[in-house]
């Protein structure tokens, strides 16, 4: 997955980049809304809420209580939200619009699961200002048979702990 994200960054031509995982989908106006929010807030990153759906596209109810509200936040306000309930919505790579200056060809660590957890804090810190919109523009398929995240007993899930350690070390530096 990291290789695919990094390759996409390398060949992208636009000023902004969005990631959509192969089994997920986005609402037709998600990118436009994120772009407008970023422009209004003078931010290099925008993010939206996530609608969790099953394999048939039906809501699972896991999105209730989504934390993202209509606001513009500084990086130091976003980072503590990683550790609140549903803080994952702030960490994942795929419900966001990134100005290309925030990413480089080797942004995501190759061969790691939870690759976005390794770099989320650094990208948000680099963005400085983040536009948030209370809009469920990203439709995330949960519990899909055969997905990476459905492999419950795979040792590669320990990559999340390594990412947490990397994030802790980053916090000590800033």
């Amino acid at each position: 997955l990291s290789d695919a994200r990094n390759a996409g960054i390398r060949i992208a031509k636009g000023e902004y980049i969005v990631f959509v995982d192969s089994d997920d989908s986005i609402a037709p106006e998600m990118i436009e809304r994120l772009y407008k929010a970023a422009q209004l807030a003078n931010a290099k990153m925008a993010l939206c809420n996530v609608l969790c759906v099953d394999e048939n596209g039906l809501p699972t109810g896991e999105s209730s209580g989504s934390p993202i509200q209509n606001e513009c936040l500084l990086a130091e306000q976003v980072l503590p939200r990683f550790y609140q309930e549903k803080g994952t919505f702030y960490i994942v790579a795929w419900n966001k619009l990134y100005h290309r200056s925030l990413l480089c060809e080797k942004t995501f660590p190759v061969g790691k699961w939870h690759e976005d957890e390794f770099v989320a804090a650094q990208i948000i810190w680099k963005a400085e200002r983040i536009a948030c919109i209370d809009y469920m523009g990203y439709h995330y398929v949960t519990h899909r048979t055969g997905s990476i995240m459905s492999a419950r007993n795979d040792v590669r899930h320990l990559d999340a702990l390594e990412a947490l350690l990397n994030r802790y070390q980053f916090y000590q530096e800033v």
Side-chain angles (χ1 to χ4, degrees), residues 107-156:
T107 293
F108 297 96
V110 176
K112 298 290 186 184
W113 282 14
H114 304 274
E115 77 290 342
D116 38 11
E117 294 186 48
F118 281 86
V119 297
Q122 292 90 330
I123 293 171
I124 286 171
W125 192 258
K126 190 175 180 181
E128 297 178 359
R129 296 172 56 82
I130 298 87
C132 304
I133 57 173
D134 182 12
Y135 167 69
M136 291 190 179
Y138 194 90
H139 303 166
Y140 174 70
V141 177
T142 60
H143 314 296
R144 184 181 59 80
T145 306
S147 75
I148 289 174
M149 301 323 283
S150 68
R152 293 284 176 214
N153 296 322
D154 196 301
V155 70
R156 291 174 290 187

Side-chain angles (χ1 to χ4, degrees), residues 13-158:
K13 303 288 186 215
E15 187 178 352
Y16 291 90
I17 295 174
V18 172
F19 299 105
V20 181
D21 287 357
S22 62
D23 52 347
D24 299 337
S25 64
I26 61 173
E29 56 289 317
M30 182 188 108
I31 295 172
E32 179 182 3
R33 286 187 181 203
L34 288 173
Y35 177 77
K36 285 180 179 178
Q39 293 301 301
L40 284 171
N42 194 26
K44 291 185 178 179
M45 177 189 281
L47 58 91
C48 65
N49 268 318
V50 176
L51 178 63
C52 295
V53 297
D54 64 20
E55 291 182 76
N56 299 314
L58 300 173
T60 63
E62 295 174 68
S63 300
S64 61
S66 296
I68 299 168
Q69 304 299 314
N70 292 321
E71 56 190 345
C72 181
L73 301 171
L74 298 175
E76 54 265 21
Q77 294 173 294
V78 174
L79 296 179
R81 295 181 184 204
F82 282 16
Y83 308 100
Q84 70 183 28
E85 185 176 353
K86 296 196 171 109
T88 302
F89 290 1
Y90 291 97
I91 297 173
V92 293
W94 32 255
N95 63 331
K96 297 170 181 64
L97 174 79
Y98 303 89
H99 189 273
R100 94 177 288 102
S101 65
L102 299 175
L103 307 171
C104 67
E105 292 180 10
K106 295 184 180 179
T107 293
F108 297 96
V110 176
K112 298 290 186 184
W113 282 14
H114 304 274
E115 77 290 342
D116 38 11
E117 294 186 48
F118 281 86
V119 297
Q122 292 90 330
I123 293 171
I124 286 171
W125 192 258
K126 190 175 180 181
E128 297 178 359
R129 296 172 56 82
I130 298 87
C132 304
I133 57 173
D134 182 12
Y135 167 69
M136 291 190 179
Y138 194 90
H139 303 166
Y140 174 70
V141 177
T142 60
H143 314 296
R144 184 181 59 80
T145 306
S147 75
I148 289 174
M149 301 323 283
S150 68
R152 293 284 176 214
N153 296 322
D154 196 301
V155 70
R156 291 174 290 187
H157 281 297
L158 293 176

